Amino acid sequence: MPVLIPFDKCIARPDEGEKKYYLKDHLLHVKEFAENWITDAGETIKTLTGLAAVCHDIAKSHADWQRYIADPKVKKGPTHAPQGAFLFSFLGYHWLEITRQWEAYRVVWLWLVRDIADHHGKLKKLQDDNWLQRYDWEKMDFEGISSFLKDHYPEFSGLELTIDSLDDWLDVADEQIEEAMDDLDTGFGQKKDFDLMVHLQAWRALTTALIAGDRFDVKDTGTSWFDEKTIEKCEAALGRYCTAKAGSPLAQARSQAQKNILKQMAEQPASWFYTLELPTGYGKTITALKLSLWLGKQRHYRKIVYVAPYLSILEQTSRVIGEAMDIGALEHHSLAILDQSNKSGTQGEQRAPNDELAMESWAHSVICTSFQQWSKAIFPGRAQDVLRRSFLKDSIIIIDEPQIFNPDGWNLFLTGLEAIAKQQHLCVLFLSATMPPFEYGLSRKPIRLAASGSQVERYQVRLEEKMDEEKMADFLNAREDIKQAAILNTIEDAYRVYKQINGEEDVRLLHGLMVPVHKKLEIAKIQDHLEKEKEKRLIVIATQIIEAGVDVSFHHVIRALPILPSIVQAAGRVNRHFETDNGILTIAPFFRNGEKNTRNSIYARPLQRITDRLLFEKDIWLESEMEPLVRRYYEEMFRENTYETAKQAIREAYEGDWPQLSKYQPFGQDYLKLPLFVPWKVPEEDEKWLPEQFLWLRKKFGVTDAASIYERYSNVNFMNGLSFEERKQFMILFHHFVLTVPVKTALRFVSQEEYLQSNRVPLLYSEGAYDQNLGLVGHFDELDNFI
């Protein structure tokens, strides 16, 4: 039986040489951090949160846990979070009773109990009381613990803090939990959704104080903020960047639009929410950066968080920020690693911190992240997710292409966003040429910033009769445009049109069934062709993957009929930089094999109906007419359905069921998919297109191709020998070759038993299933219904 360790001698983590990390010191450090972090919460909540911090890891004094942390041969210690939650429930209740504040703060008490129980995993329901059980307190120095607590909380001097008193608490705690739960009953809905959300975000502020205090005491990380000197440097760099771009045909129109918008901001500088509405190609990102720096000077904002729907947009914008402001951005998404290079230069003092915790906590002055990661900041699913709130206060949040959010959850997202904006003093800029409505989610409309004056007419939208794959290919081949693209609604549709294209010109296929590294290479090659080989023909056949954010420009694009916002986004790929007098966007209903309208598989019927009613009012539309048309579309869309059903999750979360919020997905609930590792070989001539971080990872782990990556992944000794951070980096490299596909498709290549019996992502063995140039498309001929 392990020897009982005196509480004063217990450690929180292994020694480092002569340095010892005593548990009592860790608990007090977390207490101090947590109390200081929630500066506006009031003394009672600060004290309760500090007490929760003291209790959160106190069960690490358990003899078995102390043996585990001291002896490398012991692979696992006992769980300590539920035991800490139990002890806090006892102490917190009695502290509130002693100070006569139980009725006023019992909900906060229950929130903190749940937070301690969850501080290493998922954030669960308040109703989940598995932490309420008998523990083996005998394996802890309870006399030492009691003395420690009474030293720091004199209020407990008269409290009987013994193993027997804790056993007695087990018999009565249910009543106290029920009292707290009764306070959370929303009744017949007389409480407003926003007010409930404010309370919920206040809860998650306490969670953040506890989790951040715990993590930062283990591994401290600093952060960088914008100050007056940094803003001046960024403004100067931005000025030089814009001057260098002054030769563009759109330069004058962009410059005038930016001046108008900055003037509008100066006239209405006090709002939390703004919409920046510019046509695609007019420099929304640069304008947003100028606005952000102005807000930094005028309203003392200290950080920029850029949020994008897709990795292609995110990574592209991160590069633009680096070039335009001479400052490195910290990227946080599924394929991101920290900048491991030791380069100096453009990033200077603002380089992303070289620490994994810095990424998790967004500890940098400029963050580029995804819709998914940002949604986890508002509606965290795991305790770790709240870390990104640690340095969020006084930030400018730039949300790009908000129309891509699933409409079903849009108003829920906005309600959560407004609550956290109020709590953290955020300013939010929405960027889009097709702005969705805000009135059903925000308490007041955002201030609209838009270009005024005459607009350059870069394209026309022309309507054509319905087409199938053969007619669309013929239509493209018959045109004389040097640079063309076709955007289809499904991957199979794109593949079928690609197969029908004839001619000697360069024809490329781009879609979502390409592994990430393959997709990156194809986009890079397309962009290079458009920029450098201006007189050489190019036809790109793609899905919606190039519709938003990818900086490509074609003379002509044909779009299989979608819904109106998608049409405007597709139009943003036509004559984007005003290279020609008039680009053309052709819209045609697409029927696969002349029969199947695959549009129905992607877009809701009511949205199709609104689109058709508006779009077919005439045969040709000018660019300047599209924005008012989309505004009418959204008015009708929300007149038919306000999409407020999802806000019921706010009431359920307030009443204790937090997972109703944490399951929120920005793109809606996806159907079940399974992963496949694809051993795709990077063509030798394409090595130059590989991202620097990918090359760095490949070199770090001594692998040359996908096959060797999978071989390392399958080697248990290799994987077990990696540190936590190394393992995470290796898995980022690994996932450059992973596809997630519908279950039915995955099971065509890998047996069900292999998924069930292995904890590993299976390898795609089937030779020829993944085409070296075209991706996972070879099975379409046999599987007609796959989308």
Side-chain angles (χ1 to χ4, degrees):
M1 180 176 176
V3 178
L4 194 68
I5 309 294
F7 182 73
D8 281 353
K9 302 296 183 183
C10 290
I11 59 174
R13 59 186 188 272
D15 301 343
E16 292 181 3
E18 297 296 317
K19 184 171 179 59
K20 296 188 77 69
Y21 294 95
Y22 289 109
L23 178 59
K24 64 178 183 179
D25 293 338
H26 170 62
L27 300 180
L28 292 175
H29 291 161
V30 179
K31 172 182 181 292
E32 181 182 10
F33 181 97
E35 290 178 343
N36 290 336
W37 197 86
I38 49 171
T39 53
D40 301 328
E43 288 304 314
T44 299
I45 293 178
K46 285 179 69 172
T47 302
L48 273 178
T49 305
L51 182 58
V54 167
C55 292
H56 85 286
D57 272 356
I58 206 164
K60 286 184 175 180
S61 61
H62 192 287
D64 292 339
W65 200 93
Q66 286 296 303
R67 179 169 173 261
Y68 150 72
I69 200 65
D71 187 351
K73 296 178 183 177
V74 181
K75 296 300 181 184
K76 189 176 181 181
T79 57
H80 61 276
Q83 202 164 350
F86 183 98
L87 184 59
F88 172 77
S89 73
F90 175 83
L91 295 171
Y93 168 75
H94 283 93
W95 185 84
L96 287 171
E97 279 288 303
I98 291 167
T99 58
R100 299 184 179 183
Q101 299 182 91
W102 167 247
E103 289 189 10
Y105 291 96
R106 56 195 176 197
V107 168
V108 175
W109 166 81
L110 186 57
W111 284 350
L112 288 167
V113 171
R114 185 70 263 159
D115 283 349
I116 298 172
D118 295 339
H119 79 272
H120 283 298
K122 291 182 178 180
L123 301 174
K124 303 183 185 71
K125 298 180 182 181
L126 288 177
Q127 294 88 336
D128 184 347
D129 60 357
N130 288 340
W131 55 270
L132 190 60
Q133 56 180 283
R134 174 68 170 82
Y135 294 98
D136 48 356
W137 304 104
E138 298 84 0
K139 292 188 176 182
M140 297 163 60
D141 173 20
F142 214 76
E143 186 176 332
I145 290 172
S146 178
S147 177
F148 169 76
L149 289 167
K150 290 181 179 180
D151 283 347
H152 293 280
Y153 292 92
E155 299 91 332
F156 293 147
S157 59
L159 177 65
E160 184 184 356
L161 186 53
T162 64
I163 294 175
D164 288 340
S165 65
L166 291 181
D167 287 344
D168 292 340
W169 173 245
L170 187 62
D171 297 327
V172 299
D174 277 331
E175 297 176 19
Q176 321 312 328
I177 295 171
E178 189 173 341
E179 286 182 8
M181 292 299 299
D182 285 344
D183 290 350
L184 293 171
D185 187 354
T186 58
F188 294 101
Q190 54 269 58
K191 296 182 180 179
K192 293 181 178 179
D193 291 332
F194 177 70
D195 295 335
L196 298 178
M197 183 63 78
V198 167
H199 282 283
L200 287 165
Q201 296 300 342
W203 175 11
R204 290 310 169 208
L206 305 184
T207 316
T208 305
L210 178 66
I211 302 304
D214 185 32
R215 305 296 194 269
F216 294 153
D217 184 56
V218 173
K219 184 181 288 185
D220 191 18
T221 183
T223 186
S224 54
W225 305 100
F226 280 116
D227 56 22
E228 188 173 337
K229 185 178 179 181
T230 307
I231 290 173
E232 287 177 359
K233 286 183 177 179
C234 289
E235 282 185 324
L238 202 54
R240 292 192 297 270
Y241 179 85
C242 292
T243 299
K245 300 287 184 179
S248 164
L250 269 181
Q252 185 175 351
R254 285 174 182 158
S255 177
Q256 188 58 50
Q258 289 172 6
K259 287 178 182 177
N260 290 339
I261 284 168
L262 284 165
K263 182 174 182 292
Q264 292 167 36
M265 170 67 83
E267 291 169 352
Q268 301 184 81
S271 179
W272 291 350
F273 290 92
Y274 296 89
T275 62
L276 175 55
E277 302 178 42
L278 281 173
T280 53
Y282 267 62
K284 291 193 299 293
T285 301
I286 297 301
T287 308
L289 294 177
K290 288 186 174 182
L291 291 171
S292 298
L293 294 175
W294 187 90
L295 287 165
K297 285 200 300 187
Q298 301 298 321
R299 294 176 57 186
H300 309 295
Y301 285 102
R302 304 183 295 167
K303 183 181 194 135
I304 296 173
V305 180
Y306 170 83
V307 188
Y310 309 130
L311 294 190
S312 56
I313 305 177
L314 192 161
E315 292 175 334
Q316 176 179 286
T317 302
S318 179
R319 289 194 297 271
V320 169
I321 291 173
E323 294 172 8
M325 296 207 306
D326 197 18
I327 189 170
L330 189 156
E331 293 182 22
H332 186 211
H333 52 78
S334 59
L335 294 180
I337 64 168
L338 293 169
D339 179 12
Q340 300 292 339
S341 66
N342 292 315
K343 298 174 185 175
S344 58
T346 58
Q347 292 182 357
E349 297 177 358
Q350 291 292 325
R351 281 185 61 228
N354 189 14
D355 187 277
E356 192 72 26
L357 186 59
M359 179 187 289
E360 295 288 342
S361 58
W362 294 355
H364 190 48
S365 54
V366 181
I367 304 296
C368 290
T369 192
S370 63
F371 278 10
Q372 290 94 335
Q373 298 298 335
W374 174 247
S375 296
K376 288 179 183 178
I378 303 175
F379 305 128
R382 303 181 64 85
Q384 189 80 1
D385 294 339
V386 302
L387 280 176
R388 60 203 68 186
R389 294 167 170 240
S390 306
F391 304 111
L392 195 60
K393 192 174 178 63
D394 300 327
S395 294
I396 296 162
I397 314 299
I398 301 172
I399 299 181
D400 207 353
E401 309 292 1
Q403 77 285 349
I404 295 175
F405 276 92
N406 184 279
D408 290 335
W410 173 238
N411 295 312
L412 172 63
F413 170 79
L414 289 176
T415 305
L417 180 63
E418 184 173 8
I420 199 171
K422 178 180 180 181
Q423 178 192 91
Q424 298 277 11
H425 185 240
L426 308 178
C427 183
V428 183
L429 299 175
F430 296 97
L431 314 186
S432 183
T434 55
M435 206 68 70
F438 296 89
E439 54 263 37
Y440 300 100
L442 299 181
S443 58
R444 62 180 63 183
K445 278 188 174 184
I447 300 297
R448 183 170 183 251
L449 307 174
S452 57
S454 60
Q455 179 177 324
V456 175
E457 300 285 1
R458 292 170 294 174
Y459 63 81
Q460 292 181 355
V461 178
R462 297 182 179 179
L463 308 184
E464 288 286 340
E465 298 295 323
K466 76 175 186 179
M467 298 182 184
D468 60 12
E469 48 267 51
E470 186 176 350
K471 288 183 179 178
M472 185 171 285
D474 290 343
F475 186 82
L476 287 163
N477 278 327
R479 294 187 63 90
E480 295 181 357
D481 306 274
I482 297 175
K483 310 297 184 188
Q484 296 191 80
I487 304 176
L488 284 300
N489 288 325
T490 75
I491 297 170
E492 182 170 359
D493 292 344
Y495 174 60
R496 285 171 175 264
V497 172
Y498 175 86
K499 288 206 304 180
Q500 293 289 333
I501 291 286
N502 296 312
E504 298 179 357
E505 57 271 302
D506 195 353
V507 183
R508 296 195 172 275
L509 179 65
L510 186 65
H511 56 79
L513 280 183
M514 293 172 164
V515 292
V517 67
H518 187 183
K519 199 159 37 183
K520 287 173 183 281
L521 287 178
E522 289 301 317
I523 291 174
K525 287 191 286 187
I526 290 168
Q527 289 175 323
D528 186 73
H529 185 132
L530 290 170
E531 180 181 348
K532 296 179 180 177
E533 301 186 56
K534 298 183 184 299
E535 302 305 318
K536 184 180 178 182
R537 286 176 65 82
L538 172 68
I539 298 179
V540 175
I541 312 299
T543 57
Q544 299 92 329
I545 196 170
I546 65 168
E547 202 166 76
V550 180
D551 190 7
V552 289
S553 181
F554 301 91
H555 303 149
H556 169 249
V557 172
I558 183 168
R559 179 64 166 94
L561 179 62
I563 56 176
L564 258 170
S566 293
I567 292 173
V568 176
Q569 293 301 324
R573 311 313 119 193
V574 181
N575 199 19
R576 183 179 178 87
H577 307 298
F578 209 27
E579 307 94 329
T580 185
D581 290 338
N582 187 33
I584 301 295
L585 173 64
T586 301
I587 304 296
F590 184 86
F591 287 76
R592 188 191 297 167
N593 288 327
E595 298 177 354
K596 184 171 183 178
N597 184 2
T598 51
R599 181 193 191 201
N600 295 332
S601 305
I602 306 299
Y603 303 106
R605 298 292 181 93
L607 304 186
Q608 293 184 45
R609 188 176 63 250
I610 296 170
T611 294
D612 295 349
R613 185 165 61 244
L614 296 174
L615 186 65
F616 291 105
E617 288 179 353
K618 57 182 185 175
D619 295 333
I620 298 177
W621 296 86
L622 301 178
E623 177 181 1
S624 59
E625 297 174 311
M626 294 307 294
E627 188 274 331
L629 192 65
V630 172
R631 196 171 290 276
R632 287 172 57 195
Y633 165 88
Y634 278 122
E635 288 172 359
E636 290 199 25
M637 171 182 165
F638 277 79
R639 192 181 302 126
E640 289 189 8
N641 184 350
T642 58
Y643 295 96
E644 294 182 279
T645 304
K647 287 164 70 174
Q648 176 60 31
I650 299 172
R651 296 183 178 275
E652 294 175 23
Y654 183 82
E655 292 179 344
D657 191 358
W658 175 262
Q660 290 299 320
L661 283 182
S662 64
K663 70 182 183 182
Y664 168 81
Q665 295 290 330
F667 301 121
Q669 298 302 313
D670 208 352
Y671 53 89
L672 183 61
K673 294 182 179 180
L674 291 173
L676 282 172
F677 184 91
V678 180
W680 181 68
K681 295 180 180 179
V682 179
E684 187 175 341
E685 65 272 17
D686 288 347
E687 287 276 328
K688 61 183 178 181
W689 304 110
L690 290 171
E692 285 187 19
Q693 289 187 337
F694 176 87
L695 293 170
W696 182 86
L697 283 172
R698 202 170 64 175
K699 182 178 179 181
K700 175 182 174 71
F701 293 106
V703 291
T704 56
D705 55 20
S708 56
I709 291 172
Y710 197 82
E711 185 180 342
R712 292 290 182 95
Y713 172 72
S714 304
N715 186 329
V716 176
N717 292 331
F718 170 77
M719 295 301 290
N720 288 342
L722 298 177
S723 68
F724 174 80
E725 291 185 7
E726 288 173 335
R727 185 183 180 91
K728 186 166 185 177
Q729 289 176 344
F730 181 81
M731 292 310 296
I732 287 171
L733 177 64
F734 179 86
H735 277 93
H736 275 83
F737 295 91
V738 172
L739 277 181
T740 53
V741 298
V743 173
K744 185 177 179 180
T745 305
L747 296 180
R748 289 176 58 83
F749 305 110
V750 178
S751 69
Q752 185 174 347
E753 289 72 24
E754 190 165 352
Y755 275 108
L756 294 174
Q757 294 174 6
S758 172
N759 291 322
R760 298 197 303 267
V761 175
L763 179 68
L764 179 64
Y765 290 104
S766 179
E767 191 172 341
Y770 190 96
D771 187 277
Q772 177 68 13
N773 298 312
L774 308 182
L776 191 71
V777 295
H779 62 290
F780 282 144
D781 291 330
E782 298 85 36
L783 189 61
D784 186 62
N785 289 326
F786 177 76
I787 298 173

